[in-house]
Coordinates of all heavy atoms in Angstrom, one line a residue:
K1 N -21.9 0.8 -2.3 CA -20.9 0.8 -3.3 C -19.7 -0.1 -2.8 O -19.3 -0.1 -1.8 CB -20.3 2.2 -3.5 CG -19.3 2.3 -4.5 CD -18.8 3.8 -4.6 CE -17.7 3.8 -5.6 NZ -17.1 5.2 -5.7
K2 N -19.4 -1.0 -3.8 CA -18.4 -2.0 -3.5 C -17.0 -1.5 -3.8 O -16.8 -0.9 -4.9 CB -18.7 -3.3 -4.3 CG -17.8 -4.4 -4.0 CD -18.3 -5.6 -4.8 CE -17.4 -6.8 -4.5 NZ -17.8 -8.1 -5.2
D3 N -16.1 -1.6 -2.9 CA -14.7 -1.2 -3.1 C -14.0 -2.1 -4.1 O -14.1 -3.3 -4.0 CB -13.9 -1.2 -1.8 CG -14.2 0.0 -0.9 OD1 -14.5 1.1 -1.5 OD2 -14.1 -0.2 0.3
K4 N -13.3 -1.4 -5.1 CA -12.4 -2.2 -5.9 C -11.2 -2.5 -5.2 O -10.7 -1.8 -4.4 CB -12.1 -1.4 -7.2 CG -13.2 -1.0 -8.0 CD -12.8 -0.2 -9.2 CE -14.0 0.2 -10.0 NZ -13.5 1.1 -11.1
K5 N -10.6 -3.7 -5.4 CA -9.4 -4.1 -4.7 C -8.3 -4.6 -5.8 O -8.7 -5.3 -6.8 CB -9.7 -5.3 -3.8 CG -10.5 -4.8 -2.6 CD -10.7 -6.0 -1.6 CE -11.6 -5.5 -0.5 NZ -11.7 -6.5 0.6
M6 N -7.1 -4.2 -5.5 CA -6.0 -4.6 -6.4 C -5.4 -5.8 -5.7 O -5.0 -5.8 -4.6 CB -5.1 -3.4 -6.5 CG -4.0 -3.5 -7.5 SD -3.0 -2.0 -7.6 CE -3.7 -0.8 -6.6
K7 N -5.2 -6.9 -6.4 CA -4.6 -8.1 -5.8 C -3.2 -8.3 -6.4 O -3.0 -8.1 -7.6 CB -5.4 -9.3 -6.2 CG -6.8 -9.3 -5.5 CD -7.5 -10.6 -5.9 CE -8.9 -10.5 -5.2 NZ -9.7 -11.8 -5.5
V8 N -2.3 -8.6 -5.6 CA -0.9 -8.9 -5.9 C -0.5 -10.2 -5.3 O -0.7 -10.4 -4.1 CB 0.0 -7.7 -5.4 CG1 1.5 -8.0 -5.8 CG2 -0.4 -6.4 -5.8
K9 N 0.0 -11.1 -6.1 CA 0.6 -12.4 -5.6 C 1.9 -12.2 -4.9 O 2.8 -11.5 -5.5 CB 0.7 -13.4 -6.6 CG -0.7 -13.9 -7.1 CD -1.4 -14.7 -6.1 CE -2.7 -15.2 -6.7 NZ -3.5 -16.0 -5.8
N10 N 2.1 -12.6 -3.7 CA 3.4 -12.5 -3.0 C 3.8 -13.9 -2.5 O 3.4 -14.3 -1.5 CB 3.2 -11.5 -1.9 CG 4.5 -11.3 -1.1 OD1 5.6 -11.8 -1.6 ND2 4.4 -10.7 0.1
M11 N 4.6 -14.6 -3.3 CA 5.0 -16.0 -2.9 C 3.8 -16.8 -2.5 O 3.8 -17.4 -1.5 CB 6.1 -15.9 -1.9 CG 7.3 -15.1 -2.3 SD 8.6 -15.1 -1.1 CE 9.6 -16.3 -1.7
N12 N 2.8 -16.9 -3.4 CA 1.6 -17.6 -3.3 C 0.7 -17.1 -2.1 O -0.3 -17.7 -1.8 CB 1.9 -19.1 -3.0 CG 2.6 -19.8 -4.1 OD1 2.3 -19.4 -5.3 ND2 3.5 -20.6 -3.9
K13 N 0.9 -16.0 -1.6 CA 0.1 -15.3 -0.6 C -0.5 -14.1 -1.2 O 0.2 -13.4 -2.0 CB 0.8 -15.0 0.7 CG 1.5 -16.2 1.3 CD 0.4 -17.1 1.9 CE 1.0 -18.3 2.4 NZ 0.1 -19.3 2.9
E14 N -1.8 -13.8 -1.0 CA -2.4 -12.6 -1.6 C -2.3 -11.4 -0.8 O -2.4 -11.4 0.4 CB -3.9 -12.9 -1.7 CG -4.4 -12.8 -3.1 CD -5.9 -13.2 -3.2 OE1 -6.7 -12.8 -2.4 OE2 -6.1 -13.9 -4.2
I15 N -2.0 -10.3 -1.5 CA -2.0 -9.0 -0.9 C -3.1 -8.1 -1.6 O -3.2 -8.1 -2.8 CB -0.6 -8.2 -1.1 CG1 0.4 -9.0 -0.3 CG2 -0.7 -6.8 -0.6 CD1 1.9 -8.5 -0.5
R16 N -3.9 -7.5 -0.8 CA -5.0 -6.6 -1.4 C -4.7 -5.1 -0.9 O -4.4 -4.9 0.3 CB -6.3 -7.0 -0.9 CG -6.8 -8.3 -1.4 CD -8.2 -8.6 -1.0 NE -8.7 -9.9 -1.5 CZ -8.7 -11.0 -0.8 NH1 -8.3 -11.0 0.5 NH2 -9.1 -12.1 -1.4
I17 N -4.8 -4.2 -1.9 CA -4.6 -2.8 -1.6 C -5.9 -2.1 -2.0 O -6.4 -2.3 -3.1 CB -3.4 -2.2 -2.4 CG1 -2.1 -3.0 -2.1 CG2 -3.3 -0.7 -2.3 CD1 -1.0 -2.7 -3.0
F18 N -6.5 -1.3 -1.2 CA -7.7 -0.7 -1.5 C -7.9 0.6 -0.7 O -7.2 0.8 0.3 CB -8.9 -1.7 -1.2 CG -9.1 -2.2 0.2 CD1 -10.0 -1.6 1.0 CD2 -8.3 -3.2 0.7 CE1 -10.1 -2.0 2.4 CE2 -8.4 -3.6 2.0 CZ -9.3 -3.0 2.8
P19 N -8.8 1.5 -1.0 CA -9.7 1.5 -2.2 C -8.8 1.9 -3.4 O -7.7 2.4 -3.2 CB -10.7 2.5 -1.9 CG -10.0 3.5 -1.0 CD -9.1 2.7 -0.2
T20 N -9.3 1.7 -4.6 CA -8.7 2.2 -5.8 C -9.7 2.9 -6.6 O -10.9 2.4 -6.7 CB -8.1 1.1 -6.7 OG1 -9.1 0.1 -7.0 CG2 -6.9 0.4 -6.0
P21 N -9.6 4.2 -7.1 CA -8.4 5.0 -6.9 C -8.2 5.4 -5.4 O -9.2 5.4 -4.7 CB -8.6 6.1 -7.8 CG -10.0 6.3 -7.9 CD -10.6 4.9 -7.9
L22 N -7.0 5.7 -5.1 CA -6.7 6.0 -3.7 C -6.9 7.5 -3.4 O -6.5 8.3 -4.2 CB -5.2 5.7 -3.4 CG -4.8 4.2 -3.6 CD1 -3.3 4.1 -3.5 CD2 -5.5 3.3 -2.6
S23 N -7.4 7.8 -2.2 CA -7.5 9.1 -1.6 C -7.8 9.0 -0.2 O -8.5 8.1 0.2 CB -8.6 10.0 -2.4 OG -9.8 9.4 -2.1
G24 N -7.1 9.7 0.6 CA -7.3 9.6 2.1 C -6.4 8.6 2.7 O -5.3 8.9 2.9
R25 N -6.9 7.4 2.8 CA -6.1 6.3 3.4 C -6.0 5.2 2.5 O -7.0 4.9 1.7 CB -6.8 5.8 4.7 CG -6.7 6.9 5.8 CD -7.2 6.3 7.1 NE -7.0 7.3 8.2 CZ -8.0 7.6 9.0 NH1 -9.2 7.0 9.0 NH2 -7.7 8.5 10.0
V26 N -4.9 4.4 2.5 CA -4.7 3.2 1.8 C -4.7 2.1 2.8 O -4.0 2.2 3.8 CB -3.5 3.2 0.9 CG1 -2.2 3.5 1.7 CG2 -3.4 2.0 0.1
Y27 N -5.4 1.0 2.5 CA -5.5 -0.2 3.4 C -4.8 -1.3 2.7 O -5.0 -1.5 1.4 CB -6.9 -0.5 3.7 CG -7.6 0.5 4.5 CD1 -8.3 1.6 3.9 CD2 -7.5 0.5 5.9 CE1 -8.9 2.5 4.6 CE2 -8.1 1.5 6.7 CZ -8.8 2.5 6.0 OH -9.4 3.5 6.8
I28 N -4.1 -2.1 3.4 CA -3.4 -3.3 2.9 C -3.8 -4.5 3.6 O -3.8 -4.6 4.9 CB -1.8 -3.2 3.1 CG1 -1.3 -1.9 2.3 CG2 -1.1 -4.4 2.5 CD1 -1.1 -0.7 3.2
E29 N -4.3 -5.5 2.9 CA -4.7 -6.8 3.5 C -3.6 -7.8 3.1 O -3.5 -8.0 1.9 CB -6.1 -7.3 3.0 CG -7.2 -6.6 3.7 CD -8.5 -7.1 3.1 OE1 -8.6 -8.1 2.4 OE2 -9.6 -6.6 3.6
A30 N -3.0 -8.4 4.0 CA -2.0 -9.4 3.7 C -1.8 -10.2 5.1 O -2.0 -9.7 6.1 CB -0.7 -8.8 3.3
S31 N -1.3 -11.4 4.8 CA -1.0 -12.3 6.0 C 0.4 -11.9 6.5 O 1.4 -11.7 5.7 CB -0.9 -13.7 5.6 OG -2.2 -14.2 5.2
N32 N 0.5 -11.8 7.8 CA 1.8 -11.6 8.5 C 2.6 -10.4 8.0 O 3.8 -10.4 7.7 CB 2.7 -12.9 8.3 CG 2.1 -14.1 8.8 OD1 1.6 -14.1 10.0 ND2 2.0 -15.2 8.0
I33 N 1.9 -9.2 8.0 CA 2.6 -8.0 7.7 C 3.6 -7.6 8.7 O 3.3 -7.6 9.9 CB 1.6 -6.8 7.6 CG1 0.7 -7.0 6.3 CG2 2.3 -5.4 7.4 CD1 -0.4 -5.9 6.2
I34 N 4.8 -7.4 8.3 CA 5.9 -7.0 9.2 C 6.0 -5.4 9.2 O 6.2 -4.8 10.2 CB 7.2 -7.7 8.8 CG1 7.1 -9.2 8.9 CG2 8.4 -7.1 9.5 CD1 8.3 -10.0 8.3
C35 N 6.0 -4.9 7.9 CA 6.2 -3.4 7.8 C 5.7 -3.0 6.5 O 5.8 -3.7 5.5 CB 7.7 -3.2 7.9 SG 8.1 -1.4 7.7
V36 N 5.1 -1.8 6.4 CA 4.7 -1.2 5.1 C 5.4 0.2 5.1 O 5.3 1.0 6.0 CB 3.1 -1.0 5.1 CG1 2.7 -0.3 3.9 CG2 2.4 -2.3 5.2
T37 N 6.0 0.5 4.0 CA 6.7 1.8 3.8 C 6.2 2.5 2.6 O 6.0 1.8 1.5 CB 8.2 1.5 3.6 OG1 8.7 0.7 4.7 CG2 9.0 2.9 3.6
L38 N 5.9 3.8 2.7 CA 5.4 4.6 1.6 C 6.6 5.4 1.1 O 7.3 6.1 1.9 CB 4.3 5.6 2.1 CG 3.8 6.5 1.0 CD1 2.9 5.6 0.0 CD2 2.9 7.6 1.6
I39 N 6.9 5.3 -0.2 CA 8.1 5.9 -0.8 C 7.6 6.9 -1.9 O 6.7 6.5 -2.7 CB 9.0 4.9 -1.4 CG1 9.4 3.9 -0.4 CG2 10.2 5.5 -2.0 CD1 10.0 2.6 -0.9
N40 N 8.1 8.1 -2.0 CA 7.7 9.1 -3.0 C 8.6 8.8 -4.3 O 9.4 8.0 -4.4 CB 7.8 10.5 -2.5 CG 9.2 11.0 -2.3 OD1 10.2 10.4 -2.7 ND2 9.3 12.2 -1.7
E41 N 8.2 9.6 -5.3 CA 8.9 9.5 -6.7 C 10.4 9.7 -6.6 O 11.1 9.3 -7.4 CB 8.3 10.5 -7.6 CG 6.9 10.1 -8.0 CD 6.2 11.1 -9.0 OE1 6.2 12.3 -8.7 OE2 5.8 10.7 -10.1
N42 N 10.9 10.4 -5.6 CA 12.3 10.8 -5.4 C 13.0 9.7 -4.6 O 14.2 9.8 -4.3 CB 12.5 12.1 -4.7 CG 11.9 13.2 -5.6 OD1 12.0 13.2 -6.8 ND2 11.3 14.2 -4.9
G43 N 12.3 8.6 -4.2 CA 12.9 7.5 -3.4 C 13.0 7.8 -1.9 O 13.5 7.0 -1.2
E44 N 12.3 8.9 -1.5 CA 12.3 9.2 -0.1 C 11.2 8.4 0.7 O 10.1 8.3 0.2 CB 12.0 10.7 0.2 CG 13.0 11.7 -0.4 CD 12.5 13.1 -0.3 OE1 11.8 13.5 -1.2 OE2 12.9 13.8 0.7
R45 N 11.7 7.8 1.8 CA 10.7 7.0 2.6 C 10.0 8.0 3.5 O 10.6 8.6 4.4 CB 11.5 5.9 3.4 CG 12.2 4.9 2.4 CD 13.1 3.9 3.2 NE 13.7 3.0 2.3 CZ 13.1 1.9 1.7 NH1 11.9 1.6 2.2 NH2 13.8 1.2 0.9
L46 N 8.7 8.1 3.3 CA 7.9 9.1 3.9 C 7.2 8.5 5.2 O 7.1 9.2 6.2 CB 6.8 9.6 3.0 CG 7.2 10.2 1.7 CD1 6.1 10.6 0.8 CD2 8.2 11.4 2.0
V47 N 6.7 7.3 5.1 CA 6.0 6.7 6.2 C 6.3 5.3 6.3 O 6.5 4.6 5.3 CB 4.5 6.8 6.0 CG1 3.7 6.1 7.1 CG2 4.0 8.2 5.8
K48 N 6.6 4.8 7.6 CA 6.9 3.4 7.8 C 6.0 3.0 8.9 O 5.9 3.7 10.0 CB 8.4 3.2 8.3 CG 8.8 1.8 8.3 CD 10.3 1.7 8.6 CE 10.8 0.2 8.6 NZ 12.2 0.1 8.7
S49 N 5.2 1.9 8.7 CA 4.2 1.5 9.7 C 4.2 0.0 9.8 O 4.4 -0.7 8.9 CB 2.9 2.0 9.3 OG 1.9 1.5 10.1
K50 N 3.8 -0.5 11.0 CA 3.6 -1.9 11.2 C 2.1 -2.2 11.1 O 1.6 -3.3 11.2 CB 4.1 -2.4 12.6 CG 5.6 -2.3 12.6 CD 6.1 -2.8 14.0 CE 7.6 -2.7 14.0 NZ 8.2 -3.3 15.2
K51 N 1.3 -1.2 10.8 CA -0.2 -1.3 10.7 C -0.5 -1.6 9.2 O 0.3 -1.4 8.3 CB -0.9 -0.1 11.2 CG -0.6 0.1 12.7 CD -1.3 1.3 13.2 CE -1.0 1.5 14.7 NZ -1.8 2.6 15.3
N52 N -1.8 -1.9 9.0 CA -2.2 -2.2 7.6 C -2.9 -1.0 6.9 O -3.6 -1.2 6.0 CB -3.2 -3.4 7.6 CG -4.5 -3.0 8.4 OD1 -4.6 -2.1 9.2 ND2 -5.5 -3.8 8.0
C53 N -2.6 0.2 7.5 CA -3.3 1.4 7.0 C -2.2 2.5 7.0 O -1.5 2.8 7.9 CB -4.5 1.8 7.8 SG -5.2 3.3 7.3
I54 N -2.2 3.3 5.8 CA -1.3 4.4 5.8 C -2.2 5.6 5.4 O -3.0 5.5 4.4 CB -0.2 4.3 4.8 CG1 0.8 3.2 5.3 CG2 0.5 5.6 4.5 CD1 2.1 3.0 4.5
D55 N -2.0 6.7 6.1 CA -2.8 7.9 5.8 C -2.1 8.8 4.8 O -1.0 9.2 5.0 CB -3.0 8.7 7.2 CG -4.0 9.8 7.1 OD1 -4.5 10.1 5.9 OD2 -4.4 10.3 8.1
L56 N -2.8 9.0 3.6 CA -2.2 9.9 2.6 C -2.6 11.3 2.7 O -2.2 12.1 1.9 CB -2.6 9.2 1.2 CG -2.2 7.8 1.0 CD1 -2.7 7.4 -0.4 CD2 -0.7 7.6 1.0
R57 N -3.6 11.6 3.5 CA -4.1 13.0 3.6 C -2.9 13.9 4.0 O -2.1 13.6 4.8 CB -5.2 13.1 4.7 CG -6.4 12.3 4.3 CD -7.5 12.4 5.3 NE -7.0 11.6 6.5 CZ -7.7 11.4 7.6 NH1 -8.9 11.8 7.7 NH2 -7.1 10.7 8.6
G58 N -2.9 15.0 3.4 CA -1.8 15.9 3.6 C -0.6 15.8 2.7 O 0.3 16.6 2.6
L59 N -0.6 14.7 2.0 CA 0.5 14.4 1.0 C 0.1 14.9 -0.4 O -1.1 14.8 -0.7 CB 0.9 12.9 0.9 CG 1.5 12.3 2.1 CD1 1.7 10.9 2.0 CD2 2.8 13.0 2.4
P60 N 1.0 15.4 -1.2 CA 0.5 15.9 -2.5 C 0.1 14.7 -3.4 O 0.6 13.6 -3.2 CB 1.8 16.5 -3.1 CG 2.9 16.1 -2.2 CD 2.4 15.7 -0.9
Q61 N -0.8 15.0 -4.4 CA -1.2 14.0 -5.2 C -0.1 13.5 -6.1 O 0.8 14.3 -6.4 CB -2.3 14.5 -6.2 CG -3.6 14.8 -5.4 CD -4.7 15.3 -6.4 OE1 -4.5 15.6 -7.5 NE2 -5.9 15.5 -5.8
G62 N 0.0 12.3 -6.5 CA 1.0 11.8 -7.3 C 1.2 10.3 -7.2 O 0.4 9.5 -6.7
I63 N 2.3 9.8 -7.7 CA 2.6 8.4 -7.7 C 3.5 8.1 -6.5 O 4.5 8.8 -6.3 CB 3.4 8.0 -9.1 CG1 2.4 8.2 -10.2 CG2 3.8 6.6 -9.1 CD1 2.9 8.2 -11.6
Y64 N 3.3 7.0 -5.9 CA 4.0 6.6 -4.7 C 4.2 5.1 -4.8 O 3.6 4.4 -5.6 CB 3.3 6.8 -3.4 CG 3.1 8.3 -3.1 CD1 2.0 9.0 -3.6 CD2 4.1 9.0 -2.3 CE1 1.9 10.4 -3.3 CE2 3.9 10.3 -2.0 CZ 2.8 11.0 -2.5 OH 2.7 12.3 -2.2
L65 N 5.2 4.6 -4.1 CA 5.5 3.2 -4.0 C 5.1 2.7 -2.6 O 5.4 3.4 -1.7 CB 6.9 2.8 -4.3 CG 7.5 3.1 -5.7 CD1 9.0 2.8 -5.8 CD2 6.7 2.4 -6.8
L66 N 4.5 1.5 -2.6 CA 4.3 0.8 -1.2 C 5.2 -0.4 -1.2 O 5.1 -1.2 -2.0 CB 2.8 0.4 -1.2 CG 1.8 1.3 -0.6 CD1 0.4 0.5 -0.6 CD2 2.1 1.8 0.7
E67 N 6.1 -0.4 -0.2 CA 6.9 -1.5 0.0 C 6.3 -2.3 1.1 O 6.2 -1.8 2.3 CB 8.3 -1.1 0.4 CG 9.3 -2.2 0.6 CD 10.6 -1.7 1.0 OE1 10.7 -1.2 2.2 OE2 11.6 -1.9 0.2
I68 N 5.8 -3.5 0.8 CA 5.1 -4.3 1.8 C 6.0 -5.5 2.2 O 6.2 -6.4 1.3 CB 3.7 -4.8 1.2 CG1 2.9 -3.5 0.7 CG2 3.0 -5.6 2.2 CD1 1.9 -3.9 -0.3
K69 N 6.4 -5.6 3.4 CA 7.2 -6.7 3.9 C 6.3 -7.6 4.7 O 5.7 -7.2 5.6 CB 8.4 -6.2 4.7 CG 9.4 -5.5 3.9 CD 10.6 -5.1 4.8 CE 11.6 -4.3 4.0 NZ 12.8 -3.9 4.8
T70 N 6.3 -8.9 4.3 CA 5.5 -9.9 5.1 C 6.5 -11.0 5.4 O 7.7 -11.1 5.0 CB 4.4 -10.5 4.2 OG1 4.9 -11.3 3.2 CG2 3.5 -9.4 3.7
A71 N 6.1 -12.0 6.2 CA 6.8 -13.2 6.5 C 7.2 -14.0 5.2 O 8.1 -14.8 5.3 CB 6.1 -14.0 7.5
F72 N 6.5 -13.7 4.2 CA 6.6 -14.5 2.9 C 7.6 -13.7 1.9 O 7.8 -14.3 0.9 CB 5.3 -14.8 2.3 CG 4.3 -15.4 3.2 CD1 3.3 -14.7 3.8 CD2 4.5 -16.8 3.5 CE1 2.5 -15.3 4.7 CE2 3.7 -17.4 4.5 CZ 2.6 -16.7 5.0
G73 N 8.0 -12.5 2.2 CA 8.8 -11.8 1.3 C 8.4 -10.3 1.2 O 7.6 -9.9 2.0
T74 N 9.0 -9.6 0.3 CA 8.7 -8.2 0.1 C 8.2 -7.9 -1.3 O 8.6 -8.5 -2.3 CB 10.0 -7.4 0.3 OG1 10.6 -7.6 1.5 CG2 9.8 -5.9 0.1
T75 N 7.1 -7.1 -1.4 CA 6.5 -6.7 -2.6 C 6.5 -5.2 -2.6 O 6.2 -4.5 -1.7 CB 5.0 -7.2 -2.7 OG1 5.1 -8.7 -2.6 CG2 4.3 -6.8 -3.9
I76 N 6.8 -4.7 -3.9 CA 6.7 -3.2 -4.1 C 5.6 -3.0 -5.1 O 5.6 -3.6 -6.2 CB 8.0 -2.6 -4.5 CG1 9.1 -2.8 -3.4 CG2 7.8 -1.1 -4.9 CD1 10.4 -2.3 -3.8
K77 N 4.7 -2.1 -4.8 CA 3.5 -1.8 -5.6 C 3.4 -0.3 -5.8 O 3.5 0.4 -4.9 CB 2.2 -2.4 -4.9 CG 1.1 -2.3 -5.9 CD 1.2 -3.2 -7.0 CE 0.1 -3.1 -8.0 NZ 0.4 -3.6 -9.3
K78 N 3.2 0.1 -7.1 CA 3.0 1.5 -7.4 C 1.5 1.8 -7.1 O 0.6 1.1 -7.4 CB 3.3 1.8 -8.9 CG 3.1 3.2 -9.3 CD 3.6 3.4 -10.7 CE 2.6 2.9 -11.7 NZ 2.9 3.3 -13.1
I79 N 1.3 3.0 -6.5 CA -0.1 3.5 -6.2 C -0.2 4.9 -6.7 O 0.8 5.6 -6.8 CB -0.5 3.4 -4.7 CG1 0.5 4.2 -3.9 CG2 -0.6 1.9 -4.3 CD1 0.0 4.3 -2.4
I80 N -1.4 5.3 -7.0 CA -1.6 6.7 -7.5 C -2.6 7.4 -6.5 O -3.7 6.9 -6.2 CB -2.2 6.8 -8.9 CG1 -1.2 6.2 -9.9 CG2 -2.5 8.3 -9.3 CD1 -1.8 6.0 -11.3
H81 N -2.1 8.4 -5.8 CA -2.8 9.2 -4.9 C -3.5 10.4 -5.5 O -2.8 11.2 -6.2 CB -1.9 9.7 -3.7 CG -2.5 10.6 -2.7 ND1 -3.8 10.4 -2.3 CD2 -2.1 11.7 -2.2 CE1 -4.1 11.4 -1.4 NE2 -3.0 12.2 -1.3
R82 N -4.8 10.4 -5.5 CA -5.6 11.5 -6.2 C -6.3 12.4 -5.2 O -6.6 12.0 -4.1 CB -6.7 10.9 -7.1 CG -6.1 10.1 -8.2 CD -7.1 9.6 -9.1 NE -6.5 8.8 -10.1 CZ -7.1 8.1 -11.0 NH1 -8.4 8.0 -11.0 NH2 -6.4 7.4 -11.9

């Protein structure tokens, strides 16, 4: 089974978020990741990581924001955890 990937342009650099739909872990592919932050619907910063993977297990299902900081800028992407 081939994973679907969501592509986001970030100042001419590609960011991939997968798998979609999300459950368990979310993986981010991007050049020069500085930091990835998971934010809930209330604006609370739940997880901050310098790695390209965030574990969603144990978090309630719902809508979250991923703030992805790279050497090329910051991108915020909405994700749905099922």
